[in-house]
Amino acid sequence: MEACVNRLVVVGIGLIGGSLAVALKQAGACKEVIGVARREQTCVDAVRLGVADRAVTSIEEIASELTAGDVIFIAVPTLTVEAILQQIKGCVSSDVTITDGASVKGSVIAAVEAAYGCLPPQFVGGHPIAGSEKSGVEASNPDLYKNHRVIITPTPESGQDHLKRVVAMWQAVGAEVLSMPVDEHDEVLASTSHLPHAIAFSLVDTLAHDSENENIFRYAAGGFRDFTRIASSDPLMWHDIMKANKDSVLTALDLFSENLNRLRSAIASEDSEYLLGVFTRAKAARDHFTKMLTKQAYSPSMQDQEITYTVKPGGSVSGELRVPGDKSISHRSIMLGSLAEGITEVEGFLEGEDALATLQAFRDMGVVIEGPDQGRVRIHGVGLNGLQAPPGPLYVGNSGTSMRLLSGLLAGQQFDSELTGDESLSKRPMNRVANPLREMGAQIDTAEGGLPPVKIKGGATLKAIDYQMPMASAQVKSCVLLAGLYADGKTQVTEPAPTRDHTERMLTGFGYTVERDGAKASLSSGGSLTSTKIEVPADISSATFFMVAAAIAPGSDVTLTHVGINPTRDGVINILRLMGADITLSNQREVGGEPVADIRVKYAPLKGIHVPEDQVPLAIDEFPALFVAAACAEGTTVLTGAEELRVKESDRIQVMADGLVTLGVKAEATPDGIVIEGGPIGGGEVESHGDHRIAMSFTVAGLRATGDIVVKNCANVATSFPTFIELAQQAGIQLAVSEA
């Protein structure tokens, strides 16, 4: 590795500074390490152990040597930083980069301003989230920062060259570098680091005074040992941290004390519901803790990383496959189960990003939810009026379904709420639900252009409306109907073309009366939902990728079991059959009000068609995969009336057209559809734009390609199909996955 740091000067060469030094040296990312320590013996030890190339007792001794490209890393207790900075200011050039490893950034910024009278461009604050029970230069560990986070807290004054150098330094030792404002850092760390340390020190100190403490420590279970391990940290360091971050730590301690008192009362009164709520929420939060804090994903496969699919050309697919549970039904099972009275049990829940976002939102609103555990969920319903104000904005990741349907439910609540999402969701239009809700009397604000976040004022009096939908959309229809649960009168929705009716079916399953008359669905407020059991069928949208795979690849024969074939969702079956696909449905039955069947698809030559517009709303999510089928068909396929595809996770019409053209297929996007001429599919690199359905569709295209297809930005596949990679490889697709 090319050196990213010329000289590294470590002031306070103990565990934190020493570990950085040896890691940089081992990585070849630093030409020389100079240690600075107050004690002569520490200097001798640092050189003897190979932690430093040389060491001095004062930075003045080497200050004249330091130039641009050199980095000073201050690794001393927080309240000692100012004294070190006073020394540095008097003798070190402004070209030298200065950073630190202190746990409280507010006090460091104050120390910099006290020493310099300003915030100099050469200073970039930092905090490595790593440690050990051992301390001192002897504990230096080159692997200490590997796969650990380092939070950088630059200020507007921080110079870009200095910032880049600090980031590159930490990346060179294997750390994941995040950036955070100073105030936010101290607030977050007060809760996630400083509070746990305060509790651990206090707990051990309390038990140490117990007359039976010898037996307590001798027979302590693993949980006690693991938790109190952090009480072995440097007492002076934590003394300084508690003083330096006093206000944030006290706020966190007060909040913890209040919750602990409530937990004590629940134990004393044997309040099972409260106890179960605390423990289920805590388990879920712990499982996804760091991701939730940084507004990243809810499941392990959706971390902030680059995932690329590489598909080898050719092959066929075969076997019996069970794809994950239906995402639309999984969303609604959580929503209606939470609003029902009693305990709702769900089997087959899709543990993908989007459905987990909905589940977390209702936990944030006080609903006790057990699981998910291998698709099993138990929801302790709170009734239509039992939701509680969430502690902050409800973050729903990439889930447009969550945001749009929740908007309808939240419009009828007594508390204020805000719905936020990731970068992709923040570009998707929300006025299509906000406008009809405003007609009902809801007070809703969005960002410019009707984009998220969606802010909803509580306490509005909703009135029923007769809404004529300008565009077919199951999400808009469901949003208005769910708001109708809280509106005065009879809410009616008329759609211009049939869309999925899972909301109407499930409301009926929960005992709520929904009237349906052709294109119109209506309900009146004043009813209640009664808990039930729900078995989620396999998702036909997920099954589509393997249906298309079998339809286009010679020699293929695939059976997809227990797939939902709701007549408002079966457009993909109808369209593939019109193209000549060999599809057989067997074992047809009804489960929980939803029709299901086993779907067998065998290879047969396909022909291009003009897709009937009445089938478009019934297959809206399946079109990216159907475009691949069209590329493999003889003749031309024409799609019209599909404007909605342009406002999904990506502009699916344009993105698919661009990708197909890259692979040598003649494809032309139109305002409301696409024209695809079937022909050979070549190899190449295509961009999914973070859209899960685009990524999976181009993966399937590899079966008929003449060269490797590389699909970029595939991390979001976990939003709907967390087991896609495993099933694709099992079925016969030659798929390799790489992460960066």
Side-chain angles (χ1 to χ4, degrees), residues 76-87 107 110-112 114-115:
V76 299
T78 301
L79 299 184
T80 311
V81 171
E82 184 178 343
I84 300 299
L85 288 168
Q86 293 286 0
Q87 296 173 25
S107 71
V112 174

Side-chain angles (χ1 to χ4, degrees), residues 12-348:
I13 193 158
L15 168 69
I16 299 299
S19 295
L20 175 62
V22 292
L24 279 175
K25 290 178 67 175
Q26 190 175 91
C30 176
K31 294 180 180 178
E32 184 184 25
V33 171
I34 304 173
V36 180
R38 289 182 303 169
R39 296 174 58 247
E40 183 68 41
Q41 186 59 49
T42 303
C43 294
V44 172
D45 291 341
V47 175
R48 174 179 58 82
L49 294 168
V51 175
D53 298 303
R54 53 189 169 122
V56 296
T57 56
S58 171
I59 198 165
E60 287 94 337
E61 297 179 46
I62 47 94
S64 61
E65 303 176 33
L66 303 182
T67 59
D70 296 337
V71 175
I72 297 175
F73 179 56
I74 303 173
V76 299
T78 301
L79 299 184
T80 311
V81 171
E82 184 178 343
I84 300 299
L85 288 168
Q86 293 286 0
Q87 296 173 25
I88 292 173
K89 177 181 180 294
C91 60
V92 172
S93 163
S94 60
D95 293 331
V96 177
T97 301
I98 304 171
T99 187
D100 75 305
S103 181
V104 184
K105 307 321 300 180
S107 71
V108 171
I109 290 298
V112 174
E113 290 178 323
Y116 283 83
C118 64
L119 294 175
Q122 69 190 122
F123 180 78
V124 180
H127 177 205
I129 311 296
S132 168
E133 293 183 40
K134 300 177 181 178
S135 60
V137 68
E138 298 86 357
S140 299
N141 174 9
D143 296 325
L144 184 66
Y145 303 114
K146 283 184 179 177
N147 301 316
H148 281 74
R149 290 180 170 178
V150 172
I151 300 175
I152 302 298
T153 56
T155 65
E157 294 80 6
S158 298
Q160 286 302 305
D161 288 344
H162 297 292
L163 176 59
K164 289 177 182 176
R165 187 168 296 116
V166 172
V167 170
M169 176 184 77
W170 285 114
Q171 290 175 336
V173 299
E176 177 190 1
V177 180
L178 304 177
S179 183
M180 192 178 287
V182 170
D183 291 346
E184 183 180 349
H185 169 278
D186 288 356
E187 182 180 339
V188 169
L189 268 292
S191 298
T192 60
S193 176
H194 307 164
L195 174 63
H197 277 82
I199 295 169
F201 277 111
S202 177
L203 178 60
V204 175
D205 184 52
T206 298
L207 296 181
H209 287 86
D210 192 302
S211 60
E212 302 292 330
N213 70 76
E214 183 178 341
N215 283 338
I216 289 172
F217 289 104
R218 177 181 297 163
Y219 298 113
F224 176 83
R225 292 195 298 272
D226 290 342
F227 175 68
T228 57
R229 174 186 60 80
I230 57 178
S232 296
S233 303
D234 184 349
L236 176 60
M237 176 180 73
W238 284 101
H239 161 273
D240 283 9
I241 288 170
M242 296 301 162
K243 292 180 66 176
N245 202 25
K246 180 180 72 172
D247 291 343
S248 293
V249 171
L250 287 176
T251 298
L253 275 169
D254 288 344
L255 179 62
F256 174 73
S257 297
E258 291 169 9
N259 285 336
L260 191 63
N261 285 333
R262 283 195 288 268
L263 179 61
R264 186 192 186 286
S265 297
I267 294 171
S269 62
E270 299 184 8
D271 185 341
S272 295
E273 194 77 5
Y274 184 88
L275 292 174
L276 192 59
V278 170
F279 298 149
T280 53
R281 287 193 301 271
K283 181 184 185 304
R286 179 62 185 86
D287 290 345
H288 307 298
F289 197 46
T290 55
K291 301 178 187 66
M292 288 165 60
L293 280 176
T294 55
K295 290 193 173 180
Q296 290 182 8
Y298 291 95
S299 68
S301 56
M302 277 286 294
Q303 296 180 20
D304 187 14
Q305 59 190 353
E306 169 74 26
I307 295 181
T308 299
Y309 288 176
T310 301
V311 191
K312 293 291 183 184
S316 61
V317 291
S318 61
E320 184 174 284
L321 305 175
R322 174 74 178 264
V323 300
D326 186 285
K327 183 167 68 167
S328 297
I329 298 174
S330 294
H331 279 300
R332 289 159 174 82
S333 69
I334 297 297
M335 293 181 183
L336 299 188
S338 296
L339 299 177
E341 296 172 3
I343 297 176
T344 292
E345 297 184 352
V346 182
E347 294 280 349

Side-chain angles (χ1 to χ4, degrees), residues 406-413 417 437 442 444 456-460 462 483 486:
L406 277 168
S407 294
L409 287 175
L410 293 171
Q413 305 304 317
S417 55
L437 291 175
I444 298 179
I456 303 170
K457 184 73 174 175
L462 301 186
Y486 299 92

Side-chain angles (χ1 to χ4, degrees), residues 547-729:
M547 292 167 62
V548 170
I552 67 173
S556 296
D557 186 350
V558 163
T559 298
L560 297 145
T561 62
H562 197 72
V563 180
I565 55 167
N566 185 301
T568 63
R569 297 282 300 280
D570 65 357
V572 62
I573 297 174
N574 301 332
I575 293 168
L576 283 174
R577 280 177 167 165
L578 288 172
M579 297 177 74
D582 183 350
I583 300 176
T584 305
L585 272 57
S586 63
N587 196 21
Q588 296 189 50
R589 57 213 183 273
E590 191 168 287
V591 176
E594 290 282 347
V596 300
D598 297 339
I599 304 175
R600 184 178 183 183
V601 185
K602 294 189 289 185
Y603 169 74
L606 302 180
K607 63 181 185 294
I609 63 169
H610 192 300
V611 179
E613 287 202 5
D614 65 351
Q615 294 297 310
V616 172
L618 312 184
I620 198 69
D621 283 336
E622 290 72 59
F623 275 114
L626 285 169
F627 293 167
V628 172
C632 299
E634 179 183 352
T636 302
T637 296
V638 179
L639 172 68
T640 57
E643 301 94 332
E644 188 179 349
L645 285 173
R646 289 195 176 274
V647 291
K648 291 288 188 177
E649 283 85 335
S650 66
D651 180 344
R652 286 179 172 163
I653 291 174
Q654 193 62 56
V655 171
M656 285 300 298
D658 292 344
L660 289 171
V661 169
T662 297
L663 300 177
V665 178
K666 292 183 179 179
E668 181 182 352
T670 63
D672 66 342
I674 194 169
V675 179
I676 300 171
E677 185 176 327
I681 298 177
E685 181 175 295
V686 295
E687 173 59 61
S688 77
H689 292 274
D691 189 323
H692 51 121
R693 300 201 191 281
I694 303 292
M696 291 184 279
S697 296
F698 281 121
T699 300
V700 169
L703 289 162
R704 284 285 293 270
T706 57
D708 288 2
I709 294 179
V710 177
V711 190
K712 307 293 288 185
N713 286 314
C714 300
N716 277 336
V717 168
T719 61
S720 64
F721 203 156
T723 58
F724 174 72
I725 296 168
E726 174 189 343
L727 285 181
Q729 293 169 338

